[in-house]
């Protein structure tokens, strides 16, 4: 019953603009009762009416209607074939790397989320998989690094925390030429600003914890794929690993998504103002901003200044994570990038004077005033 209604709605919603799609999701409302807020199907298992009559639902590890609504919504927003919602961004990444077989090779952005590095270094290297870290803006170098055993290209753009931008379309062409899958971690820009599958990527990955949720209250991960073969892999992985997102958390993400466009617009306009202001501050020595989105990183003049800023911010919160309504300031050296090897950190410029800010949706003047008093 739910599925029949879904196809009807899906066809019509395809024609909507992005800002309407985020509000109306997959089915949008409950097809049985018409409830405008999609219900939380808080159930572990599903009753079968008789020997040969079933709703198609069996057990929530395999499928749950609330999680499915989130998965459909994300597939629509990323313009992919199927979506998958996981218990964390890390769980989503683990399923992506689950595509690897013994001896496979992966090329990744040199400047990536520390947890992604940890998955490669601590888990998949034990399967004799090999990893090469590259600056993905150097396409010639990237093509040279591809080996017969290369299975995946893993791109984060803009990168975390240096905000380097890669050309997804150009990388996708190289990936296709060499029959390698292209994965893009789209956590920082979200489909509001960037839809990697439309640029030729095969898999999009998100920490749903960040902008998709947007309220710093859920840990979640999303994968959206472009082919049935990949969809089958991820469905089997979820069934076996048991890492699907719980119904209530799926609902919170659906709720957060309704305001994605509004929030991203404000994150972006606030960040542009804060970046312009930081650029002129005498204690700010280097500023990284991709020119779009809400993430800024910068280097200050001394460790003393770092200590002042992290202790003295008032409205801004000194906390790990990003993408929520609240402005957060992070110290990558001991927080997000603790797992990155010191030599790599040093080469990238993640030193003791380096800070990262996730610009929230507060008043931009208040964010600047708080940074002003904390920087001194
Ligand atoms: C946070 C983050 C992850 C990991 O996601 P979790 O939800 O924390 O497990 C992966 N990639 C990027 C870019 C992130 O910021």
């Amino acid at each position: 019953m739910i599925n029949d209604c879904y196809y009807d709605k899906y066809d019509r919603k395809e024609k909507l603009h992005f800002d309407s799609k985020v509000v109306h999701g997959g089915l949008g409302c409950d097809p049985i009762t018409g409830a405008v807020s999609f219900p939380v199907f808080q159930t572990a298992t599903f009753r079968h009416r008789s020997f040969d009559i079933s709703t198609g639902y069996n057990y929530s590890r395999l499928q749950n209607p609330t999680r499915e609504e989130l998965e459909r919504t994300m597939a629509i927003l990323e313009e992919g074939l199927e979506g998958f919602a996981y218990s964390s961004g890390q769980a989503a990444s683990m399923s992506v790397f689950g595509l690897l077989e013994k001896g496979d090779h992966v090329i990744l952005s040199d400047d990536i989320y520390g947890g992604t590095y940890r998955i490669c270094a601590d888990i998949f290297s034990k399967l004799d998989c090999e990893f090469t870290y590259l600056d993905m803006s150097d396409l010639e170098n990237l093509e040279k690094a591809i080996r017969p055993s290369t299975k995946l290209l893993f791109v984060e753009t803009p990168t975390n925390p240096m905000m380097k931008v890669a050309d997804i379309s150009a990388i996708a062409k190289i990936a296709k030429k060499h029959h390698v899958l292209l994965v893009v971690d789209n956590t920082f820009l979200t489909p509001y600003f960037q839809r990697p599958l439309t640029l030729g990527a095969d898999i999009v990955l998100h920490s749903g914890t960040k902008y998709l949720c947007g309220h710093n209250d859920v840990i979640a991960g999303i994968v959206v794929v472009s082919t049935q073969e990949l969809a089958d892999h991820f469905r089997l992985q979820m069934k076996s690993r048991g890492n699907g997102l719980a119904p209530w958390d799926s609902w919170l993400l659906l709720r957060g998504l309704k305001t994605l466009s509004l929030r991203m617009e404000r994150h972006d306009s606030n960040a542009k103002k804060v970046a312009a202001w930081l650029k002129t501050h005498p204690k700010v020595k280097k500023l990284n901003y991709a020119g779009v989105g809400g993430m800024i990183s910068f280097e200050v003049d001394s460790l003393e200044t770092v200590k002042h800023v992290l202790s003295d911010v008032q409205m801004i919160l000194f906390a790990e994570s990003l993408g929520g309504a609240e402005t957060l300031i992070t110290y990558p050296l001991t927080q997000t990038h603790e797992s990155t090897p010191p030599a790599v950190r040093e080469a990238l410029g993640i030193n003791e004077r380096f800070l990262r800010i996730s610009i929230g949706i507060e008043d931009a003047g208040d964010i600047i005033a708080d940074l002003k008093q904390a920087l001194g």
Side-chain angles (χ1 to χ4, degrees):
M1 185 177 190
I2 285 181
N3 283 339
D4 289 351
C5 190
Y6 157 55
Y7 286 115
D8 161 43
K9 284 279 189 181
Y10 186 89
D11 287 345
R12 278 188 277 145
K13 282 185 180 165
E14 279 289 87
K15 296 181 183 68
L16 296 177
H17 293 95
F18 187 86
D19 294 353
S20 306
K21 287 178 182 173
V22 295
V23 174
H24 292 282
L27 288 176
C29 45
D30 175 24
I32 299 167
T33 63
V36 166
S37 167
F38 198 87
V40 183
F41 286 86
Q42 190 67 46
T43 185
T45 189
F46 299 83
R47 174 214 179 203
H48 301 296
R49 170 81 172 72
S50 67
F51 177 74
D52 54 1
I53 300 178
S54 165
T55 60
Y57 292 96
N58 294 302
Y59 189 60
S60 277
R61 173 157 48 76
L62 318 184
Q63 343 87 334
N64 174 278
T66 315
R67 187 168 71 226
E68 278 183 355
E69 172 66 1
L70 171 61
E71 293 174 338
R72 275 191 293 266
T73 301
M74 283 310 304
I76 291 169
L77 299 182
E78 287 286 9
E79 300 186 38
L81 183 72
E82 268 191 55
F84 301 86
Y86 297 93
S87 55
S88 69
Q90 283 295 90
S93 289
M94 280 296 291
S95 292
V96 169
F97 287 101
L99 285 159
L100 298 181
E101 286 165 31
K102 200 170 180 318
D104 279 345
H105 173 238
V106 184
I107 303 173
L108 302 96
S109 305
D110 56 0
D111 172 20
I112 47 165
Y113 178 69
T116 307
Y117 179 84
R118 201 179 321 124
I119 288 176
C120 299
D122 295 350
I123 299 178
F124 284 91
S125 60
K126 294 206 177 89
L127 290 175
D128 294 331
C129 292
E130 292 185 300
F131 301 93
T132 303
Y133 298 89
L134 283 184
D135 181 343
M136 290 285 183
S137 53
D138 185 346
L139 297 173
E140 219 172 286
N141 205 22
L142 168 63
E143 191 155 10
K144 270 193 228 141
I146 294 176
R147 310 174 189 169
S149 61
T150 307
K151 179 82 152 269
L152 300 175
L153 303 184
F154 190 103
V155 174
E156 217 181 282
T157 182
T159 58
N160 179 12
M162 305 317 278
M163 313 300 159
K164 285 190 289 195
V165 175
D167 181 344
I168 297 175
S169 303
I171 295 173
K173 284 197 189 101
I174 294 173
K176 293 235 168 358
K177 183 172 151 197
H178 294 273
H179 306 289
V180 175
L181 291 170
L182 173 59
V183 185
V184 176
D185 183 332
N186 202 26
T187 301
F188 272 30
L189 288 188
T190 82
Y192 180 77
F193 283 120
Q194 170 171 281
R195 282 161 229 155
L197 299 180
T198 67
L199 304 173
D202 302 285
I203 300 168
V204 171
L205 171 80
H206 281 275
S207 166
T209 313
K210 315 294 170 52
Y211 290 106
L212 299 182
C213 168
H215 294 73
N216 282 323
D217 53 11
V218 177
I219 299 286
I222 298 285
V223 164
V224 181
V225 300
S226 57
T227 66
Q228 193 56 53
E229 190 187 349
L230 285 169
D232 293 344
H233 161 85
F234 284 95
R235 192 59 66 204
L236 178 70
Q237 289 268 318
M238 184 178 282
K239 192 170 169 180
S240 306
R241 291 174 184 257
N243 53 8
L245 191 61
W248 173 237
D249 288 357
S250 297
W251 185 85
L252 281 167
L253 224 71
L254 280 168
R255 183 190 172 120
L257 279 173
K258 285 180 190 280
T259 55
L260 180 70
S261 293
L262 285 174
R263 288 185 286 105
M264 292 314 290
E265 212 173 285
R266 175 66 83 92
H267 285 297
D268 181 67
S269 69
N270 276 357
K272 285 186 165 79
K273 289 176 194 160
V274 176
W277 179 82
L278 279 171
K279 216 171 184 169
T280 64
H281 196 284
K283 289 188 184 167
V284 176
K285 298 299 169 196
K286 229 189 265 169
L287 182 93
N288 309 301
Y289 179 55
V292 61
M295 296 301 297
I296 298 172
S297 61
F298 58 103
E299 191 180 311
V300 293
D301 59 345
S302 67
L303 178 59
E304 272 315 294
T305 303
V306 164
K307 287 180 183 169
H308 274 298
V309 170
L310 295 180
S311 309
D312 295 349
V313 281
Q314 292 169 355
M315 178 186 79
I316 297 170
L317 307 168
F318 171 27
E320 204 158 338
S321 201
L322 62 109
E326 304 84 3
T327 297
L328 303 185
I329 191 157
T330 304
Y331 193 41
L333 186 67
T334 59
Q335 293 183 311
T336 50
H337 289 69
E338 197 203 353
S339 302
T340 309
V344 176
R345 277 199 308 243
E346 199 50 45
L348 291 171
I350 306 170
N351 55 37
E352 61 175 19
R353 299 179 304 282
F354 189 75
L355 291 164
R356 189 187 81 183
I357 310 189
S358 167
I359 303 296
I361 60 172
E362 304 98 332
D363 179 89
D366 287 344
I367 300 170
I368 290 170
D370 200 11
L371 284 171
K372 189 173 179 184
Q373 64 80 25
L375 272 164

